[in-house]
Every structure is written in C-alpha cells, then in structure tokens.
Amino acid sequence: MTLRGPRRVDSSFIEYDGVDPWKTPGVPASGPINMLTAVRSTFTPGLNTLPAAGTADDKIQAYNFRMTMTNSAKWRKPLPTTPPPGYDVADYEVLLRFMAANPTKVSFFDYFKADAFYTANGESKFDVNNRAGPAAPSTDFLGRNWDYPLASYSAREAIWKAHWNWIVGMLYLMQHGTDPRIPAALKTNCLSWGFVSDHYFSPHENDTVGMNPQMYVREALRLDGVAKLLGTELTRGDGGVPSISTNTVSMISYFMDSHAIQYIALEKTAGVWIVASEGGMAVDLGGSDGMFPLPLEVCTPKPGDCTNGFVSFGLSASHVAFGAGRMEFTAMQTGQSLGQIAAEAIKNNRTFQDPANYPAARTALLANAFALTNEPVPILAQTT
C-alpha cells in the first residue's frame, strides 16, 4: 500500500458513519455539502473523483490553531457571543450532521483534544488541539490551506484569519447555535469553556485577545537538498545502515504521521454514502525502538543554491518522511547539531557542504562539550 498521494484504501479513511455527504441526503445529484472536495466510490465509478492512489498533487495536511483554554471560572475569559467575520453555518454541516448521528457526545472533550498543562486545586488550563480519535469533526480546517506554501504574505494572512475564524465559528456554534441538532447538554458543557485570561492578553494589533498568535503550520515548503529522505527508508528494520549517510544530526522517533487532507463523500457500501476524511495516517517506523537516524544531507542545500546555511525543520524529505521528522524533539537536536557543524565550517573557512565539517562536530556533540547543566548526551546513532 502506498502512503504518498491520495489514499484509496478505504481502511485508511476516518469514517463518520451516519453523516450523509449530500445536500439532499441520499441524493448524489443534489451535490456535496460544504467542505467536501472529492468523491470516492467503487460502486458508482462515474461519480468517483479521487485520483489513483499515489498520484502526485499539491495538497497538504490540515492546519489549525492550538488554543489555550479553561473550564475554570477563575481563569476563564468568555468566548465571543457573536459569530466571526465570514461565518456561514453551512460550512459546519459535517459537524451538525455528526452531532445528529451522535447525540450522546455531549462533552467538550468529545470534539476537542484537551490536555491539561497546569493544574492547581483541581482547576486546569488546557492545550486544546484537533480531536483525532475517537474521531469527530474538530478544529482542523481541511482543504483550506493548500495554497499556503506558495502564497504571498497578504494571501497567507487571509488564510491565517480564515483558520482562526473557522475555529471561533465552531466554538460559537457549539455555545450559541440555534440548530436543533446541537444537543442541549453539549451547549451547556461548552459554555463553561473559554480562553485563559492570563494568556495572550497583548496580541498583535490585528489579532484577538486570548488567541494563540501562531497558526499550526504542520507542513509547508520543504528543502530540495543534496539528498531526499523517503518514507520507504523509515520502514527498515534494526541494524541497517542508512542509505543516505551515517552523518546523523538527530533521531526521528515519531511515527509517519499526517493529519487529514480533505473531506470526501465515500460510498461505503452500494448505495450507502457517508462523509470521511482522507489523507491522514499514523504508520510506525521500522525496527524495535521506533527510531531512525536523520542524516545531515537532508538539511543541506545544494551547493548551487547556498553554501553557508542549513535547514533544520523544512527538511529535504517526502511528505511521508517529513511527517515523522517534524516533531519538536527531533527538531531541537537537529538545531543543536547543525549549529555545531556550522561552527566547524565557519572556523575552518569551509562551505557547509564540505564533508570535513561533520567528524569534529560529532566528536564535540557526543562529548557534550557545550552542554547545559544536567543536559544528557545526544543520541546520534549511525544504524537503524
């Protein structure tokens, strides 16, 4: 099974049973409800618009905002009681139909991933993210970020605002919406939530008090470097030598991960249509330890492009491999290692591509020569 491009193995979809995708339920000719961008069917091939598995495209995994929220009256800043600019309740039809199909889901936690990061006297502040599983439509704004990587700054600002307004609109609907499909108990529960009064209280002049000023750009432009890391490389078992090099700058320790790309209409069985999300994945790395060496070369530009810089996050990697290498701990060690290698290059008046830079930098890194207090020695394995 290919992991790249569109996914056409139905088991890879996140399915929303009982959520009909058509404006008139059961009638494909009525057209899809808002937010759906493709159709998948093996029973009615004439309706299928999802390309063949693995087909190259310009679609990327969804963005959102991670919010700081609380259900504590002591810290809660109430959410807006009016809808945000551009609000259209039809854009939330997937959510409303999901609520109708799941009337017992009446908690904020059923629709949002909320992890307490601070608790005192039984009251907490939460990091609130997209709800991945058990699945529910959540804060990811599927299909509305595809233009972001190549967009102008002004166009990116518009995409940024649209994402924020999407989430605020979702919260408004769940607290103040009048659609009868919203369970009353869910509205009551959600009304107890708000932003945290002592976070983000002095934002940029175009932003909203209480909002996280950083959109969660999970994936955008990536380097086209001296080598490219592929997802197939990450599935190798223990004890192998990486095919690119043993110039390890960090360890990939997250699974091959992507949030969903788009909502689709899926004909699950003949004549039975549901909404599903397509493009998401969570695939383990090979080997028993679930780690893979990240080679220097995927952080290194081609000499014709740049000889005095590295890229620590937008790695030269496929969409699938990048999904495993994009996490914080990998990025932190990558940054430290690249800084040490850059110092060697500058000290010796070399280009950053010069292979002589790595050995001395590796020796210094493993000796913890510039460690902070109680900082552990980095893991820079040279085998899988």
Side-chain angles (χ1 to χ4, degrees):
M1 179 185 71
T2 181
L3 298 177
R4 65 183 186 273
R7 311 291 299 282
R8 292 193 65 174
V9 178
D10 292 352
S11 62
S12 71
F13 301 145
I14 295 177
E15 300 178 354
Y16 300 112
D17 288 327
V19 180
D20 192 284
W22 307 114
K23 290 178 180 177
T24 301
V27 183
S30 64
I33 58 177
N34 287 18
M35 298 294 292
L36 274 63
T37 51
V39 177
R40 164 67 169 150
S41 175
T42 57
F43 304 99
T44 316
L47 292 177
N48 187 81
T49 62
L50 193 65
T55 303
D57 60 31
D58 58 356
K59 299 177 175 63
I60 53 176
Q61 61 179 307
Y63 300 168
N64 71 342
F65 281 82
R66 294 178 73 148
M67 300 172 291
T68 304
M69 300 186 69
T70 186
N71 55 0
S72 163
K74 178 172 63 177
W75 294 315
R76 184 176 64 244
K77 174 182 170 57
L79 299 174
T81 57
T82 55
Y87 177 82
D88 182 353
V89 71
D91 289 339
Y92 300 90
E93 187 64 16
V94 172
L95 176 63
L96 289 166
R97 293 188 182 190
F98 181 87
M99 290 177 178
N102 297 274
T104 61
K105 292 185 180 293
V106 294
S107 168
F108 184 89
F109 294 99
D110 289 327
Y111 291 88
F112 303 90
K113 184 179 186 290
D115 296 312
F117 65 85
Y118 177 80
T119 299
N121 300 318
E123 298 178 296
S124 298
K125 301 175 184 180
F126 295 85
D127 168 39
V128 177
N129 196 2
N130 183 74
R131 178 69 168 161
S138 192
T139 58
D140 278 356
F141 198 20
L142 273 63
R144 297 303 186 266
N145 63 331
W146 296 344
D147 293 335
Y148 185 88
L150 297 178
S152 65
Y153 285 116
S154 60
R156 285 186 172 190
E157 176 74 9
I159 294 170
W160 192 97
K161 284 294 185 186
H163 277 69
W164 178 252
N165 289 339
W166 160 259
I167 297 173
V168 174
M170 179 182 178
L171 292 166
Y172 168 79
L173 178 70
M174 297 175 78
Q175 289 190 335
H176 304 289
T178 58
D179 193 291
R181 292 172 290 183
I182 307 171
L186 177 62
K187 290 178 68 173
T188 299
N189 184 267
C190 288
L191 279 166
S192 68
W193 287 80
F195 295 136
V196 178
S197 58
D198 61 357
H199 279 64
Y200 314 126
F201 50 82
S202 182
H204 184 275
E205 62 267 17
N206 293 327
D207 298 344
T208 304
V209 173
M211 71 180 293
N212 182 343
Q214 179 58 60
M215 184 166 70
Y216 196 170
V217 178
R218 294 186 173 95
E219 177 179 27
L221 291 177
R222 301 192 297 275
L223 175 68
D224 181 14
V226 300
K228 180 176 287 185
L229 185 64
L230 302 179
T232 50
E233 179 82 352
L234 302 184
T235 62
R236 298 174 60 183
D238 293 331
V241 177
S243 62
I244 294 175
S245 82
T246 57
N247 297 329
T248 305
V249 294
S250 189
M251 299 298 293
I252 294 173
S253 57
Y254 201 66
F255 47 82
M256 290 178 280
D257 162 78
S258 174
H259 283 236
I261 307 295
Q262 60 187 334
Y263 284 122
I264 64 172
L266 172 65
E267 192 171 15
K268 188 172 182 179
T269 59
V272 178
W273 290 91
I274 63 170
V275 171
S277 64
E278 181 274 328
M281 63 179 176
V283 180
D284 289 337
L285 305 186
S288 59
D289 63 1
M291 295 200 297
F292 191 90
L294 181 68
L296 169 63
E297 288 75 10
V298 303
C299 306
T300 308
K302 295 175 181 176
D305 295 330
C306 175
T307 59
N308 62 347
F310 290 126
V311 174
S312 62
F313 182 74
L315 307 171
S316 182
S318 68
H319 162 73
V320 176
F322 177 78
R326 69 183 181 90
M327 291 298 156
E328 290 84 349
F329 293 114
T330 297
M332 284 186 266
Q333 182 56 56
T334 303
Q336 182 189 28
S337 295
L338 295 180
Q340 189 67 47
I341 298 165
E344 287 294 326
I346 294 168
K347 179 176 67 176
N348 293 285
N349 196 29
R350 304 181 187 127
T351 69
F352 280 29
Q353 288 82 7
D354 195 313
N357 299 324
Y358 181 77
R362 178 181 176 85
T363 298
L365 288 163
L366 295 179
N368 244 10
F370 303 98
L372 302 175
T373 302
N374 298 321
E375 183 179 352
V377 177
I379 297 173
L380 300 174
Q382 293 180 302
T383 59
T384 59

